[in-house]
Amino acid sequence: MTVKKYKGAAGGWGSLVSTGKHLLHSENVAKNVLNLLKTNQDHGFDCPGCAWGEEGKKDRFKFCENGAKAVNWEATSRRLTPVFFEQYSVTALRTQTDYFLEDQGRLSVPLMYDAETDKYTEISWEGAFELIAKHLNGLESPNQAEFYTSGRASNEAAFLYQLFVRKFGTNNFPDCSNMCHEASGIGLKQAIGIGKGTVTLDDFEHADAIFVFGQNPGTNHPRMLHTLNHAAHRGANIVTFNTLKERGLERFANPQSPVDMMFGSSTKLTSQYFSPNLGGDMAAVRGMVKVLLKRHEQALENGDRVFNLKFIEKHTSGLEAYLAEVKATPWSLITEQSGLSKNQIKSAATVFQDAKRVIITWAMGITQHKHSVATVNELANLQLLFGHIGKKGAGLCPVRGHSNVQGDRTMGIDEKPPQALLDNIEKAFNFKPPQAHGHNAVQAVEAMLRGDSKVFIGLGGNFAAAMPDTEVTRQAMSRCNLTVNIATKLNRTHLYPGKDALILPCLGRTDIDLQQGKPQKITVEDSFSMVHASQGVVKSDIRKMRSEPAIIAGIAHATLGNEPVDWLALIEDYDRIRDLISQTIPGFTDMNKRLANPGGFYLGNSAAEYKWNTSDQKAQFHRAPLPEAIVSASQRALSKNPVFVLQTLRSHDQYNTTIYGFSDRYRGLSGDRHIILLNEKDISAIGLTSGDKVDIEALWGDEVVRKVTNFTVLAYDIPMGNAAAYYPETNPLVALANHGDYTFTPNSKSIAIVITPAHDPVPERIV
């Protein structure tokens, strides 16, 4: 384990050096240089990383450091063949790191698990499809199958998947949205009638202030730094609320700026940086509103105003009840829960008040708490008070994770589908889809654990690693009669097979997808509701890989025949799939024609047009009391030791569960992922020193011991009482039942833990 404070800005030479290192590691340098030059370009492919949008201007380079890692990781020349699986049993592979598993290269042939030898062996595509159809058609009810989706899947794959599954007869669609931004969708629908952000990328060029909550763009979506950099240069105020001090939000050196690179200069991005307690963002915003309400009342006495009363009267409801709740919230609770002083909150409120156009943007630091929906409502309330929706340079901006996670939901990957979607499916395909709600990700694990669900099919992702309560999730997977994983690389989920199990190798974004000898394109939707085409550009050795749409069509054809469509004919030309999307999904009329536009097309946003699809056709203020506490008294009573609140997070060499390496450069950490970050005073108070080995145990109260061991404790700039550690290594600490109100999203940013000296210390891990 190496700890060395990083003194540079985010981006800059460090980013270029890292990109070069991962380019070399791909062992496919020449082709991947071409790949990078085609990333996020018209007539190129969409980055398989984050969902940040693309600026309209033409640039030679439209990729970031972590996007380059994703491209190089996918487009490696290494191939996993049956020879590899002859050497390793599944049990032996479980002892390897996640990095080792994916670093072996691309899956190249369909594989079937042999329980007698505990190894995967090759199977034909026809044999794989027949096995899946046998299991699915042998179920007593379609609801005994779970159909998981990762955000990497294309619109075309997602549309075919949901059509197949609904014709099969279930709405069991657990997906990665359940684990990250569910609160954004629910909260925004309640407030403004649509579960998507109201801004476009161009709005950032016109905002006077940008309030950033609970996110680390430098690691998780670095292209956002370019957008913030432009805003800072033209004088916009950027105010950050994030528990950890992250370099990517402090200073940024643009790798595409000759001045920054030649002279080592950088831009200070954040004008004010606040570090609230984990789960304290709602209290901080409530405090801002309390300050602004007092100023508004004082202004009214002088015939003036602070709030946008014209907007409020015309477009909103529920103001009186909300403001009564604000007045009833004591400052003592606001400052205690937020961890910020009244003066700090006043300072943030002043920036907000002085700005004519404000964007509020957030990510999983907001959405992975018990009270996340209420927090999203609170963010919306603040914007509604000032009319910061529906005008250029202002709005609400949840930053989604994977590159098409928003598009998957738009296409119908939804366990609680809107009635309009079901009606459109019935009209277009002449069958009545199931009406009852299906399982989300947590409910799917519970159903598999009980034995109620017997088949799991995963369209991408790493379900067993991404889900909480790791051991419980693995047990659930192993109890299935069949598990199927459609994947580009070997990952942890594949090592917990059901009685029968398949791994089906699929093409990635960088691969040329040929159907009937013709290259095909797919589409994705970014965080700004822009839909654009993506097409692999460099020929590679695909062995027996198939595209995700082709795999889904093969499964559907084997299971359903040609009902309700000729599945195999659709795969001959993806334009045919998009024609069906045009008939079924609102906003996609003439989809094939509109894709010809540079940059694709915008789906629009009803709230941005002042169309409020709520019960009273108005944007609604929502009142909710602050939580009594982030960690309940009953949880604290479970231990006599000091209780900390833990958040799980990514390292810089990571995207979701994919580990590219062991360097968390901006945090100055490298060599090991089994670490926990604490305030230096907290470390001393519990009788430890930085570098000590510790065990971490979660407090939940169901008599299950949830513990991870032999972590290194390190001092970091984090508020007292808070802690941070990497996931998926600390996912075992999150109880399956520890999820958000209304969302079932794991509360991975507010885990009550105790920390004790390691019971059985081991030497530093070799990675």
Short mmCIF file of all heavy atoms in Angstrom, two decimals, residues 267-325:
data_model
loop_
_atom_site.label_atom_id
_atom_site.label_comp_id
_atom_site.label_asym_id
_atom_site.label_seq_id
_atom_site.Cartn_x
_atom_site.Cartn_y
_atom_site.Cartn_z
N THR A 267 -7.32 25.39 -13.71
CA THR A 267 -8.46 26.23 -13.37
C THR A 267 -9.03 25.81 -12.03
O THR A 267 -9.27 24.62 -11.80
CB THR A 267 -9.56 26.12 -14.44
OG1 THR A 267 -9.02 26.51 -15.70
CG2 THR A 267 -10.75 27.01 -14.10
N LYS A 268 -9.25 26.78 -11.16
CA LYS A 268 -9.97 26.50 -9.92
C LYS A 268 -11.44 26.38 -10.28
O LYS A 268 -12.06 27.32 -10.74
CB LYS A 268 -9.76 27.62 -8.89
CG LYS A 268 -10.50 27.37 -7.59
CD LYS A 268 -10.33 28.53 -6.61
CE LYS A 268 -11.14 28.27 -5.34
NZ LYS A 268 -11.06 29.41 -4.38
N LEU A 269 -12.00 25.18 -10.07
CA LEU A 269 -13.37 24.96 -10.50
C LEU A 269 -14.39 25.43 -9.47
O LEU A 269 -15.35 26.10 -9.80
CB LEU A 269 -13.59 23.46 -10.78
CG LEU A 269 -12.85 22.88 -11.99
CD1 LEU A 269 -13.27 21.44 -12.22
CD2 LEU A 269 -13.13 23.69 -13.25
N THR A 270 -14.18 25.06 -8.22
CA THR A 270 -15.19 25.32 -7.21
C THR A 270 -14.90 26.63 -6.47
O THR A 270 -13.82 26.81 -5.92
CB THR A 270 -15.25 24.16 -6.21
OG1 THR A 270 -15.67 22.98 -6.90
CG2 THR A 270 -16.23 24.44 -5.08
N SER A 271 -15.89 27.51 -6.46
CA SER A 271 -15.72 28.77 -5.73
C SER A 271 -15.98 28.58 -4.24
O SER A 271 -15.37 29.26 -3.41
CB SER A 271 -16.67 29.83 -6.30
OG SER A 271 -18.02 29.39 -6.27
N GLN A 272 -16.89 27.68 -3.89
CA GLN A 272 -17.13 27.32 -2.50
C GLN A 272 -17.28 25.81 -2.41
O GLN A 272 -18.06 25.22 -3.17
CB GLN A 272 -18.39 28.00 -1.96
CG GLN A 272 -18.29 29.52 -1.88
CD GLN A 272 -19.47 30.12 -1.12
OE1 GLN A 272 -19.77 29.73 0.00
NE2 GLN A 272 -20.14 31.08 -1.75
N TYR A 273 -16.55 25.20 -1.50
CA TYR A 273 -16.57 23.73 -1.36
C TYR A 273 -16.99 23.40 0.07
O TYR A 273 -16.31 23.72 1.03
CB TYR A 273 -15.18 23.16 -1.65
CG TYR A 273 -15.15 21.68 -2.01
CD1 TYR A 273 -14.55 21.25 -3.19
CD2 TYR A 273 -15.70 20.72 -1.18
CE1 TYR A 273 -14.52 19.92 -3.54
CE2 TYR A 273 -15.68 19.37 -1.52
CZ TYR A 273 -15.10 18.97 -2.71
OH TYR A 273 -15.06 17.65 -3.05
N PHE A 274 -18.15 22.74 0.20
CA PHE A 274 -18.66 22.35 1.51
C PHE A 274 -18.62 20.84 1.65
O PHE A 274 -18.92 20.11 0.70
CB PHE A 274 -20.10 22.84 1.68
CG PHE A 274 -20.26 24.33 1.53
CD1 PHE A 274 -20.84 24.88 0.38
CD2 PHE A 274 -19.81 25.20 2.52
CE1 PHE A 274 -20.98 26.24 0.23
CE2 PHE A 274 -19.93 26.58 2.38
CZ PHE A 274 -20.52 27.10 1.23
N SER A 275 -18.25 20.38 2.85
CA SER A 275 -18.15 18.94 3.12
C SER A 275 -19.19 18.54 4.16
O SER A 275 -18.90 18.46 5.36
CB SER A 275 -16.74 18.60 3.62
OG SER A 275 -15.77 18.90 2.65
N PRO A 276 -20.42 18.28 3.72
CA PRO A 276 -21.46 17.89 4.67
C PRO A 276 -21.25 16.46 5.16
O PRO A 276 -20.51 15.67 4.55
CB PRO A 276 -22.75 17.99 3.85
CG PRO A 276 -22.30 17.73 2.45
CD PRO A 276 -20.92 18.32 2.34
N ASN A 277 -21.89 16.14 6.27
CA ASN A 277 -21.92 14.75 6.71
C ASN A 277 -22.63 13.90 5.67
O ASN A 277 -23.49 14.37 4.92
CB ASN A 277 -22.67 14.62 8.04
CG ASN A 277 -21.90 15.20 9.20
OD1 ASN A 277 -20.67 15.16 9.24
ND2 ASN A 277 -22.62 15.74 10.18
N LEU A 278 -22.28 12.61 5.64
CA LEU A 278 -23.00 11.70 4.77
C LEU A 278 -24.48 11.72 5.13
O LEU A 278 -24.86 11.61 6.29
CB LEU A 278 -22.44 10.28 4.92
CG LEU A 278 -21.04 10.08 4.36
CD1 LEU A 278 -20.45 8.75 4.82
CD2 LEU A 278 -21.05 10.15 2.84
N GLY A 279 -25.32 11.89 4.12
CA GLY A 279 -26.76 11.97 4.34
C GLY A 279 -27.23 13.34 4.76
O GLY A 279 -28.43 13.54 4.99
N GLY A 280 -26.32 14.31 4.86
CA GLY A 280 -26.67 15.64 5.36
C GLY A 280 -27.02 16.66 4.30
O GLY A 280 -27.26 17.83 4.63
N ASP A 281 -27.07 16.26 3.04
CA ASP A 281 -27.34 17.22 1.96
C ASP A 281 -28.75 17.80 2.06
O ASP A 281 -28.96 18.99 1.79
CB ASP A 281 -27.15 16.55 0.60
CG ASP A 281 -25.74 16.04 0.41
OD1 ASP A 281 -24.88 16.82 -0.01
OD2 ASP A 281 -25.49 14.86 0.72
N MET A 282 -29.72 16.97 2.43
CA MET A 282 -31.08 17.47 2.54
C MET A 282 -31.15 18.57 3.61
O MET A 282 -31.80 19.61 3.41
CB MET A 282 -32.05 16.34 2.89
CG MET A 282 -33.49 16.78 3.01
SD MET A 282 -34.59 15.42 3.44
CE MET A 282 -36.16 16.29 3.59
N ALA A 283 -30.46 18.34 4.72
CA ALA A 283 -30.45 19.35 5.78
C ALA A 283 -29.78 20.63 5.30
O ALA A 283 -30.23 21.74 5.63
CB ALA A 283 -29.73 18.79 7.01
N ALA A 284 -28.71 20.50 4.52
CA ALA A 284 -28.02 21.69 4.01
C ALA A 284 -28.93 22.50 3.11
O ALA A 284 -29.01 23.74 3.20
CB ALA A 284 -26.75 21.28 3.26
N VAL A 285 -29.66 21.82 2.22
CA VAL A 285 -30.58 22.53 1.31
C VAL A 285 -31.74 23.12 2.09
O VAL A 285 -32.18 24.25 1.83
CB VAL A 285 -31.07 21.58 0.20
CG1 VAL A 285 -32.08 22.29 -0.70
CG2 VAL A 285 -29.90 21.08 -0.63
N ARG A 286 -32.24 22.38 3.07
CA ARG A 286 -33.31 22.91 3.91
C ARG A 286 -32.84 24.19 4.61
O ARG A 286 -33.60 25.17 4.73
CB ARG A 286 -33.73 21.85 4.94
CG ARG A 286 -34.81 22.28 5.96
CD ARG A 286 -36.15 22.57 5.31
NE ARG A 286 -36.68 21.48 4.54
CZ ARG A 286 -37.38 20.45 5.03
NH1 ARG A 286 -37.63 20.37 6.33
NH2 ARG A 286 -37.85 19.52 4.23
N GLY A 287 -31.59 24.19 5.05
CA GLY A 287 -31.04 25.39 5.67
C GLY A 287 -30.97 26.56 4.70
O GLY A 287 -31.28 27.71 5.06
N MET A 288 -30.56 26.28 3.45
CA MET A 288 -30.53 27.34 2.44
C MET A 288 -31.92 27.93 2.23
O MET A 288 -32.09 29.16 2.17
CB MET A 288 -30.00 26.79 1.11
CG MET A 288 -28.50 26.47 1.12
SD MET A 288 -27.98 25.66 -0.43
CE MET A 288 -28.42 26.93 -1.64
N VAL A 289 -32.93 27.07 2.14
CA VAL A 289 -34.30 27.55 1.95
C VAL A 289 -34.75 28.37 3.16
O VAL A 289 -35.42 29.40 3.02
CB VAL A 289 -35.26 26.38 1.68
CG1 VAL A 289 -36.70 26.88 1.60
CG2 VAL A 289 -34.88 25.66 0.39
N LYS A 290 -34.36 27.94 4.35
CA LYS A 290 -34.74 28.66 5.56
C LYS A 290 -34.15 30.08 5.54
O LYS A 290 -34.82 31.05 5.90
CB LYS A 290 -34.25 27.88 6.78
CG LYS A 290 -34.94 28.26 8.10
CD LYS A 290 -34.55 27.27 9.19
CE LYS A 290 -35.23 27.61 10.51
NZ LYS A 290 -36.68 27.28 10.51
N VAL A 291 -32.90 30.18 5.11
CA VAL A 291 -32.27 31.50 4.99
C VAL A 291 -32.99 32.34 3.95
O VAL A 291 -33.31 33.53 4.17
CB VAL A 291 -30.78 31.34 4.61
CG1 VAL A 291 -30.17 32.69 4.22
CG2 VAL A 291 -30.00 30.70 5.75
N LEU A 292 -33.26 31.74 2.80
CA LEU A 292 -33.88 32.48 1.70
C LEU A 292 -35.32 32.86 2.02
O LEU A 292 -35.79 33.93 1.60
CB LEU A 292 -33.81 31.63 0.42
CG LEU A 292 -32.39 31.39 -0.10
CD1 LEU A 292 -32.38 30.27 -1.14
CD2 LEU A 292 -31.81 32.66 -0.69
N LEU A 293 -36.02 32.03 2.77
CA LEU A 293 -37.38 32.35 3.18
C LEU A 293 -37.40 33.58 4.09
O LEU A 293 -38.25 34.48 3.92
CB LEU A 293 -38.01 31.16 3.90
CG LEU A 293 -39.40 31.39 4.51
CD1 LEU A 293 -40.40 31.84 3.47
CD2 LEU A 293 -39.87 30.12 5.22
N LYS A 294 -36.47 33.64 5.01
CA LYS A 294 -36.40 34.81 5.90
C LYS A 294 -36.11 36.07 5.09
O LYS A 294 -36.73 37.12 5.32
CB LYS A 294 -35.32 34.59 6.96
CG LYS A 294 -35.24 35.71 7.98
CD LYS A 294 -34.22 35.40 9.06
CE LYS A 294 -34.15 36.54 10.08
NZ LYS A 294 -33.15 36.25 11.16
N ARG A 295 -35.19 35.96 4.13
CA ARG A 295 -34.88 37.12 3.30
C ARG A 295 -36.08 37.52 2.44
O ARG A 295 -36.33 38.70 2.20
CB ARG A 295 -33.66 36.82 2.42
CG ARG A 295 -32.37 36.63 3.20
CD ARG A 295 -31.23 36.23 2.27
NE ARG A 295 -30.00 35.99 3.03
CZ ARG A 295 -28.88 35.52 2.51
NH1 ARG A 295 -28.83 35.25 1.21
NH2 ARG A 295 -27.81 35.33 3.25
N HIS A 296 -36.82 36.53 1.98
CA HIS A 296 -38.00 36.80 1.17
C HIS A 296 -39.05 37.55 1.99
O HIS A 296 -39.64 38.54 1.51
CB HIS A 296 -38.58 35.49 0.64
CG HIS A 296 -39.85 35.65 -0.15
ND1 HIS A 296 -39.88 36.20 -1.41
CD2 HIS A 296 -41.13 35.33 0.16
CE1 HIS A 296 -41.12 36.22 -1.85
NE2 HIS A 296 -41.91 35.70 -0.91
N GLU A 297 -39.27 37.10 3.21
CA GLU A 297 -40.26 37.75 4.07
C GLU A 297 -39.85 39.18 4.41
O GLU A 297 -40.69 40.09 4.45
CB GLU A 297 -40.47 36.92 5.34
CG GLU A 297 -41.18 35.59 5.07
CD GLU A 297 -41.28 34.72 6.31
OE1 GLU A 297 -40.45 34.91 7.25
OE2 GLU A 297 -42.18 33.85 6.35
N GLN A 298 -38.56 39.38 4.60
CA GLN A 298 -38.07 40.74 4.86
C GLN A 298 -38.23 41.61 3.62
O GLN A 298 -38.58 42.81 3.72
CB GLN A 298 -36.60 40.69 5.29
CG GLN A 298 -36.40 40.06 6.66
CD GLN A 298 -34.93 39.82 6.98
OE1 GLN A 298 -34.07 39.80 6.09
NE2 GLN A 298 -34.62 39.64 8.27
N ALA A 299 -38.00 41.04 2.45
CA ALA A 299 -38.14 41.80 1.21
C ALA A 299 -39.59 42.20 0.97
O ALA A 299 -39.88 43.31 0.48
CB ALA A 299 -37.60 40.98 0.04
N LEU A 300 -40.51 41.29 1.30
CA LEU A 300 -41.93 41.58 1.11
C LEU A 300 -42.37 42.80 1.91
O LEU A 300 -43.23 43.59 1.47
CB LEU A 300 -42.78 40.37 1.50
CG LEU A 300 -42.75 39.16 0.55
CD1 LEU A 300 -43.58 38.03 1.12
CD2 LEU A 300 -43.24 39.54 -0.84
N GLU A 301 -41.77 42.96 3.10
CA GLU A 301 -42.10 44.12 3.93
C GLU A 301 -41.73 45.43 3.24
O GLU A 301 -42.32 46.48 3.52
CB GLU A 301 -41.39 44.01 5.28
CG GLU A 301 -41.87 42.84 6.14
CD GLU A 301 -41.07 42.70 7.41
OE1 GLU A 301 -40.12 43.52 7.60
OE2 GLU A 301 -41.36 41.79 8.20
N ASN A 302 -40.76 45.36 2.34
CA ASN A 302 -40.30 46.55 1.61
C ASN A 302 -40.84 46.58 0.18
O ASN A 302 -40.33 47.33 -0.67
CB ASN A 302 -38.77 46.58 1.59
CG ASN A 302 -38.18 46.68 2.99
OD1 ASN A 302 -38.69 47.43 3.83
ND2 ASN A 302 -37.11 45.93 3.23
N GLY A 303 -41.85 45.75 -0.07
CA GLY A 303 -42.45 45.75 -1.39
C GLY A 303 -41.64 45.03 -2.44
O GLY A 303 -41.87 45.20 -3.64
N ASP A 304 -40.70 44.23 -2.02
CA ASP A 304 -39.84 43.49 -2.95
C ASP A 304 -40.08 42.00 -2.76
O ASP A 304 -40.97 41.58 -2.03
CB ASP A 304 -38.37 43.87 -2.70
CG ASP A 304 -37.48 43.59 -3.91
OD1 ASP A 304 -37.99 43.02 -4.89
OD2 ASP A 304 -36.29 43.95 -3.84
N ARG A 305 -39.28 41.19 -3.36
CA ARG A 305 -39.41 39.73 -3.20
C ARG A 305 -38.07 39.07 -3.47
O ARG A 305 -37.17 39.67 -4.09
CB ARG A 305 -40.44 39.17 -4.17
CG ARG A 305 -40.09 39.45 -5.64
CD ARG A 305 -41.04 38.78 -6.59
NE ARG A 305 -40.78 39.15 -7.96
CZ ARG A 305 -39.76 38.71 -8.71
NH1 ARG A 305 -38.87 37.89 -8.19
NH2 ARG A 305 -39.61 39.12 -9.95
N VAL A 306 -37.92 37.85 -3.02
CA VAL A 306 -36.76 37.02 -3.33
C VAL A 306 -37.20 35.84 -4.20
O VAL A 306 -36.57 35.53 -5.20
CB VAL A 306 -36.07 36.51 -2.04
CG1 VAL A 306 -34.99 35.48 -2.37
CG2 VAL A 306 -35.44 37.69 -1.29
N PHE A 307 -38.30 35.20 -3.82
CA PHE A 307 -38.82 34.08 -4.61
C PHE A 307 -39.49 34.58 -5.88
O PHE A 307 -39.95 35.73 -5.94
CB PHE A 307 -39.83 33.27 -3.80
CG PHE A 307 -39.26 32.62 -2.55
CD1 PHE A 307 -40.11 32.25 -1.51
CD2 PHE A 307 -37.91 32.37 -2.41
CE1 PHE A 307 -39.61 31.65 -0.36
CE2 PHE A 307 -37.39 31.78 -1.27
CZ PHE A 307 -38.25 31.43 -0.24
N ASN A 308 -39.59 33.72 -6.87
CA ASN A 308 -40.25 34.04 -8.13
C ASN A 308 -41.74 33.77 -7.99
O ASN A 308 -42.25 32.69 -8.34
CB ASN A 308 -39.65 33.21 -9.27
CG ASN A 308 -40.14 33.63 -10.64
OD1 ASN A 308 -41.22 34.19 -10.78
ND2 ASN A 308 -39.33 33.35 -11.65
N LEU A 309 -42.46 34.74 -7.44
CA LEU A 309 -43.87 34.55 -7.11
C LEU A 309 -44.73 34.34 -8.35
O LEU A 309 -45.72 33.59 -8.32
CB LEU A 309 -44.39 35.74 -6.31
CG LEU A 309 -43.72 35.96 -4.95
CD1 LEU A 309 -44.30 37.18 -4.26
CD2 LEU A 309 -43.88 34.72 -4.07
N LYS A 310 -44.38 34.97 -9.44
CA LYS A 310 -45.14 34.81 -10.68
C LYS A 310 -45.07 33.36 -11.16
O LYS A 310 -46.10 32.76 -11.52
CB LYS A 310 -44.60 35.76 -11.75
CG LYS A 310 -45.39 35.73 -13.06
CD LYS A 310 -44.83 36.75 -14.04
CE LYS A 310 -45.60 36.72 -15.35
NZ LYS A 310 -45.06 37.70 -16.33
N PHE A 311 -43.87 32.80 -11.16
CA PHE A 311 -43.70 31.39 -11.56
C PHE A 311 -44.44 30.48 -10.59
O PHE A 311 -45.14 29.54 -11.00
CB PHE A 311 -42.21 31.04 -11.60
CG PHE A 311 -41.93 29.59 -11.89
CD1 PHE A 311 -41.76 29.16 -13.19
CD2 PHE A 311 -41.83 28.65 -10.87
CE1 PHE A 311 -41.51 27.82 -13.47
CE2 PHE A 311 -41.58 27.32 -11.12
CZ PHE A 311 -41.42 26.90 -12.43
N ILE A 312 -44.28 30.72 -9.29
CA ILE A 312 -44.89 29.87 -8.27
C ILE A 312 -46.40 29.84 -8.42
O ILE A 312 -47.03 28.78 -8.39
CB ILE A 312 -44.48 30.35 -6.86
CG1 ILE A 312 -42.98 30.09 -6.62
CG2 ILE A 312 -45.31 29.67 -5.78
CD1 ILE A 312 -42.44 30.74 -5.37
N GLU A 313 -47.00 31.02 -8.60
CA GLU A 313 -48.46 31.10 -8.69
C GLU A 313 -48.98 30.40 -9.94
O GLU A 313 -50.02 29.71 -9.90
CB GLU A 313 -48.90 32.57 -8.69
CG GLU A 313 -50.41 32.74 -8.72
CD GLU A 313 -50.84 34.19 -8.65
OE1 GLU A 313 -49.96 35.07 -8.46
OE2 GLU A 313 -52.04 34.46 -8.77
N LYS A 314 -48.27 30.53 -11.04
CA LYS A 314 -48.75 29.99 -12.31
C LYS A 314 -48.49 28.50 -12.45
O LYS A 314 -49.32 27.77 -13.02
CB LYS A 314 -48.09 30.74 -13.47
CG LYS A 314 -48.58 30.29 -14.84
CD LYS A 314 -47.95 31.12 -15.95
CE LYS A 314 -48.46 30.70 -17.32
NZ LYS A 314 -47.86 31.52 -18.41
N HIS A 315 -47.37 28.03 -11.89
CA HIS A 315 -46.91 26.68 -12.25
C HIS A 315 -46.84 25.68 -11.09
O HIS A 315 -46.54 24.51 -11.34
CB HIS A 315 -45.53 26.76 -12.90
CG HIS A 315 -45.51 27.43 -14.23
ND1 HIS A 315 -46.08 26.87 -15.35
CD2 HIS A 315 -44.99 28.62 -14.62
CE1 HIS A 315 -45.90 27.69 -16.38
NE2 HIS A 315 -45.25 28.76 -15.97
N THR A 316 -47.09 26.08 -9.86
CA THR A 316 -46.82 25.17 -8.75
C THR A 316 -48.00 25.03 -7.80
O THR A 316 -48.93 25.84 -7.79
CB THR A 316 -45.59 25.63 -7.93
OG1 THR A 316 -45.93 26.77 -7.14
CG2 THR A 316 -44.41 25.96 -8.83
N SER A 317 -47.91 23.99 -6.97
CA SER A 317 -48.86 23.80 -5.88
C SER A 317 -48.10 23.27 -4.67
O SER A 317 -46.99 22.73 -4.80
CB SER A 317 -49.97 22.81 -6.28
OG SER A 317 -49.43 21.52 -6.53
N GLY A 318 -48.69 23.43 -3.50
CA GLY A 318 -48.11 22.87 -2.29
C GLY A 318 -47.12 23.76 -1.57
O GLY A 318 -46.46 23.32 -0.63
N LEU A 319 -47.00 25.04 -1.98
CA LEU A 319 -46.00 25.92 -1.39
C LEU A 319 -46.24 26.15 0.11
O LEU A 319 -45.31 26.07 0.91
CB LEU A 319 -45.98 27.26 -2.12
CG LEU A 319 -45.05 28.33 -1.51
CD1 LEU A 319 -43.60 27.90 -1.65
CD2 LEU A 319 -45.28 29.68 -2.17
N GLU A 320 -47.47 26.42 0.48
CA GLU A 320 -47.76 26.79 1.86
C GLU A 320 -47.35 25.69 2.84
O GLU A 320 -46.72 25.95 3.86
CB GLU A 320 -49.25 27.12 2.01
CG GLU A 320 -49.62 27.66 3.38
CD GLU A 320 -51.08 28.08 3.46
OE1 GLU A 320 -51.69 28.33 2.40
OE2 GLU A 320 -51.61 28.16 4.58
N ALA A 321 -47.73 24.45 2.51
CA ALA A 321 -47.39 23.33 3.39
C ALA A 321 -45.88 23.13 3.47
O ALA A 321 -45.33 22.84 4.55
CB ALA A 321 -48.06 22.06 2.90
N TYR A 322 -45.20 23.30 2.33
CA TYR A 322 -43.75 23.13 2.33
C TYR A 322 -43.06 24.19 3.20
O TYR A 322 -42.20 23.88 4.02
CB TYR A 322 -43.19 23.17 0.91
CG TYR A 322 -41.68 23.24 0.87
CD1 TYR A 322 -40.91 22.20 1.39
CD2 TYR A 322 -41.03 24.35 0.36
CE1 TYR A 322 -39.52 22.26 1.39
CE2 TYR A 322 -39.64 24.43 0.35
CZ TYR A 322 -38.90 23.38 0.87
OH TYR A 322 -37.53 23.46 0.88
N LEU A 323 -43.45 25.46 3.03
CA LEU A 323 -42.81 26.52 3.80
C LEU A 323 -43.11 26.38 5.30
O LEU A 323 -42.28 26.74 6.14
CB LEU A 323 -43.26 27.89 3.29
CG LEU A 323 -42.79 28.25 1.87
CD1 LEU A 323 -43.23 29.67 1.52
CD2 LEU A 323 -41.28 28.11 1.72
N ALA A 324 -44.28 25.83 5.63
CA ALA A 324 -44.57 25.57 7.03
C ALA A 324 -43.60 24.54 7.60
O ALA A 324 -43.14 24.66 8.75
CB ALA A 324 -46.02 25.08 7.18
N GLU A 325 -43.26 23.55 6.79
CA GLU A 325 -42.28 22.54 7.22
C GLU A 325 -40.90 23.16 7.38
O GLU A 325 -40.16 22.83 8.31
CB GLU A 325 -42.24 21.40 6.19
CG GLU A 325 -41.39 20.20 6.60
CD GLU A 325 -41.96 19.48 7.79
OE1 GLU A 325 -43.17 19.20 7.80
OE2 GLU A 325 -41.18 19.20 8.74
#
